[in-house]
């Protein structure tokens, strides 16, 4: 299965069939997660938890007991680094037939932070359940997905631009890079806000965040979303065997309001 097929097939799962995660799958995910790198070079620590043992409450999830939490130092670019690494694990789980959903707000955060012994100077941006999807979504999950239009993404031309923010980029104009950008377009995000924007300048792809109100509570969950977008783009580069350099060099561009530079992939 190609990365685009894997990303297209994946959805957030909140209703699981109640089976315990098989030990073989636990070992595979643990091994994979421990080897995941991110372009910022910021380490992410992974902790597997049992909701029943640790008395954890996640009201939007049913039928799953195993959770994966990630911990990162509270340093510059921590959110992007975390989102990048977390999505790598999520996509690997998908390849094994294991359901996930990235949870940042609808959980007992204090309980999770206590269970992982979170230290001062660390943050736990998100967690995910790990389990086998139920054959049918619960009514609550159906309503949640409907509320955020979970299966809808913004049009290509609303997210990607050619040379400046004034010129939308179509998938046809993107040419051989169209599928790379489509991977970004299909990425998951908090309440499906899709905060990423990309300006293509020649062989450079500049990533930006469009900041929405209510998402900055000491740390920026939308930067986690940008890390996920970077991760999808990188997966496409790897699959197509395209060499690219990851840099933090903000271009001289006129930016729309509430827009912030994140990073650049320079191809070739």
């Amino acid at each position: 299965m190609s990365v685009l097929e894997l990303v297209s097939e994946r959805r957030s799962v909140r209703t699981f069939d109640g089976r315990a995660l098989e030990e073989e799958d636990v070992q595979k995910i643990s091994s994979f997660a421990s080897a995941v790198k991110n372009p910022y070079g910021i380490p992410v620590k992974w902790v597997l938890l049992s909701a029943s043992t640790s008395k954890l409450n996640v009201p939007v999830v049913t039928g799953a007991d195993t959770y994966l939490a990630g911990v990162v130092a509270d340093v510059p670019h921590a959110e992007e680094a975390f989102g990048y690494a977390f999505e790598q694990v999520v996509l690997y789980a998908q390849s094994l037939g294991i359901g996930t959903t990235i949870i940042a707000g609808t959980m007992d955060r204090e309980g999770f932070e206590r269970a992982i012994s979170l230290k001062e100077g660390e943050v736990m941006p998100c967690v995910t359940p790990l389990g086998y999807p139920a054959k049918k979504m619960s009514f609550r999950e159906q309503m949640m997905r409907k509320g955020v239009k979970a299966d809808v993404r913004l049009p290509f031309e609303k997210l990607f631009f050619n040379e400046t923010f004034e010129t939308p980029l179509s998938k046809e104009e993107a040419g051989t890079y169209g599928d790379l950008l489509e991977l970004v377009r299909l990425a998951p995000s908090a309440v499906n806000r899709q905060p990423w924007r990309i300006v293509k300048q020649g062989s450079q792809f500049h990533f930006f965040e469009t900041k929405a109100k209510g998402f900055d509570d000491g740390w920026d969950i939308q930067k986690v979303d940008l890390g996920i977008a970077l991760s999808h783009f990188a997966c496409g580069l790897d699959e197509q065997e395209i060499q690219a350099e990851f840099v933090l060099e903000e271009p001289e561009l006129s930016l729309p309001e509430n827009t912030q530079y994140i990073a650049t992939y320079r191809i070739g």
Side-chain angles (χ1 to χ4, degrees):
M1 184 180 293
S2 71
V3 175
L4 185 56
E5 289 171 330
L6 189 68
V7 167
S8 300
E9 181 183 272
R10 184 195 170 270
R11 66 170 176 86
S12 295
V13 177
R14 298 177 182 85
T15 312
F16 298 84
D17 68 4
R19 285 184 293 154
L21 202 63
E22 294 180 8
E23 186 58 31
E24 181 182 5
D25 286 336
V26 172
Q27 293 302 321
K28 284 180 178 179
I29 289 176
S30 295
S31 178
F32 182 88
S34 66
V36 166
K37 308 294 183 186
N38 65 76
Y40 296 91
I42 299 173
V44 180
K45 179 176 69 177
W46 307 99
V47 184
L48 282 168
L49 298 166
S50 163
S52 56
T53 301
S54 299
K55 298 185 170 117
L56 301 171
N57 181 31
V58 184
V60 298
V61 173
T62 59
D65 185 64
T66 301
Y67 282 80
L68 179 70
V71 180
V72 65
D74 189 6
V75 297
H77 304 298
E79 297 101 322
E80 301 99 294
F82 178 89
Y84 184 103
F86 207 76
E87 184 66 3
Q88 295 279 315
V89 179
V90 161
L91 291 177
Y92 179 68
Q94 173 71 16
S95 75
L96 299 176
I98 296 169
T100 58
T101 185
I102 300 175
I103 298 173
T106 50
M107 63 174 171
D108 174 14
R109 177 168 287 277
E110 288 186 4
F112 272 91
E113 291 178 351
R114 186 167 53 251
I116 63 173
S117 301
L118 192 73
K119 299 179 178 61
E120 186 175 353
E122 294 179 335
V123 291
M124 183 197 71
C126 308
V127 304
T128 180
L130 297 170
Y132 307 109
K135 292 182 179 179
K136 184 178 179 181
M137 286 185 279
S138 69
F139 178 74
R140 175 186 286 180
E141 181 173 8
Q142 292 178 48
M143 290 300 98
M144 288 183 69
R145 292 184 63 81
K146 184 177 180 180
V148 300
K149 299 181 180 179
D151 297 314
V152 177
R153 294 293 186 271
L154 291 171
F156 203 92
E157 293 82 357
K158 295 286 187 182
L159 298 171
F160 310 124
F161 302 87
N162 192 25
E163 299 297 332
T164 73
F165 274 102
E166 283 72 44
T167 308
L169 178 69
S170 70
K171 191 169 184 180
E172 293 70 30
E173 291 169 330
T176 57
Y177 302 123
D179 282 351
L180 294 177
L181 295 174
E182 182 66 9
L183 285 170
V184 174
R185 193 181 78 88
L186 295 175
S189 57
V191 295
N192 200 27
R193 285 298 182 94
Q194 306 160 63
W196 41 77
R197 300 293 183 270
I198 296 177
V199 176
K200 177 183 178 295
Q201 288 188 316
S203 60
Q204 297 188 100
F205 292 82
H206 306 297
F207 284 68
F208 296 85
E209 174 193 5
T210 58
K211 298 178 72 66
K213 293 181 180 179
F215 284 89
D216 197 347
D217 184 19
W219 50 275
D220 187 351
I221 188 63
Q222 290 196 310
K223 281 190 170 60
V224 175
D225 296 337
L226 263 295
I228 291 171
L230 290 166
S231 190
H232 278 211
F233 194 83
C235 283
L237 291 171
D238 289 344
E239 182 173 71
Q240 296 185 34
E241 298 182 340
I242 297 173
Q243 297 297 314
E245 180 185 10
F246 179 84
V247 296
L248 300 175
E249 296 177 9
E250 185 169 359
E252 292 186 6
L253 282 172
S254 178
L255 304 184
E257 188 177 2
N258 298 321
T259 301
Q260 180 180 353
Y261 172 73
I262 297 296
T264 295
Y265 272 107
R266 185 178 293 154
I267 292 176

